Amino acid sequence: MSVDLPTTTYYTRERLPEIRGTILEVYSEVYAADIAGDPFFSVERFEERLDGHTAAPGWACVVAEVGGSVAGFTYGFTGRDGVTFKLCENMLRAAYRGHGISRAMHDELMSHRREERSHLLVRRERPRLRALYERWGYRRAGELLPFPDAPLYDVMLLPLR
């Protein structure tokens, strides 16, 4: 399938009401199998995490559209140390994968950041996704269990400056 070039739009917390429904819709689709099998991935729990993330300083999001349809989004916020951007989500609907859209969203989001580095978490059982981030320049820096009922994640870091 050929996919048109994406259009990306950058959002800050003030514009969250415009895209909150889109974020939840894409999450529900991308995580459908996980939602059915693990309460940690329920839409309600995701909304709790989203509320926490959007309350943090420096929250921003990029939404990608292709031909007028939402392909995905990526978002994050400034960490407590003030020098780390915490990339929380980078979600792309299945039909749009393999066309560089996820990277385009990521790069657009990072182009607005002033932090020294980006930090993200990748589930241990997703080695192909970890390899993708490594191709983008991220390096594994450890592991983290962010919530007691969460899966184990690899911590990945990317220098931005």
Side-chain angles (χ1 to χ4, degrees), residues 57-58 75-88 106 109-121 136-141 155-161:
Y75 78 72
F77 61 89
T78 305
R80 289 184 194 149
D81 65 3
V83 298
T84 303
F85 181 71
K86 297 196 169 220
L87 182 61
C88 300
H106 172 272
L109 184 60
M110 293 306 139
S111 76
H112 294 265
R113 305 315 309 173
R114 297 183 186 265
E115 294 86 358
E116 294 176 14
R117 66 185 153 264
S118 177
H119 161 281
L120 62 80
L121 303 177
W136 294 1
Y138 282 87
R139 294 293 170 247
R140 186 177 183 277
V155 176
M156 308 286 293
L157 294 175
L158 173 72
L160 296 177
R161 306 283 166 255

Side-chain angles (χ1 to χ4, degrees), residues 50-81:
L50 177 62
D51 289 343
H53 297 156
T54 57
W59 185 87
C61 179
V62 168
V63 174
E65 293 185 19
V66 175
S69 297
V70 173
F73 68 87
T74 186
Y75 78 72
F77 61 89
T78 305
R80 289 184 194 149
D81 65 3

Side-chain angles (χ1 to χ4, degrees), residues 21-77:
T22 298
I23 290 171
L24 295 174
E25 180 182 313
V26 172
Y27 177 85
S28 296
E29 182 179 322
V30 171
Y31 277 86
D34 293 311
I35 290 168
D38 186 340
F40 176 76
F41 293 105
S42 72
V43 174
E44 295 77 21
R45 287 292 303 281
F46 174 71
E47 285 188 274
E48 290 172 9
R49 292 188 297 273
L50 177 62
D51 289 343
H53 297 156
T54 57
W59 185 87
C61 179
V62 168
V63 174
E65 293 185 19
V66 175
S69 297
V70 173
F73 68 87
T74 186
Y75 78 72
F77 61 89

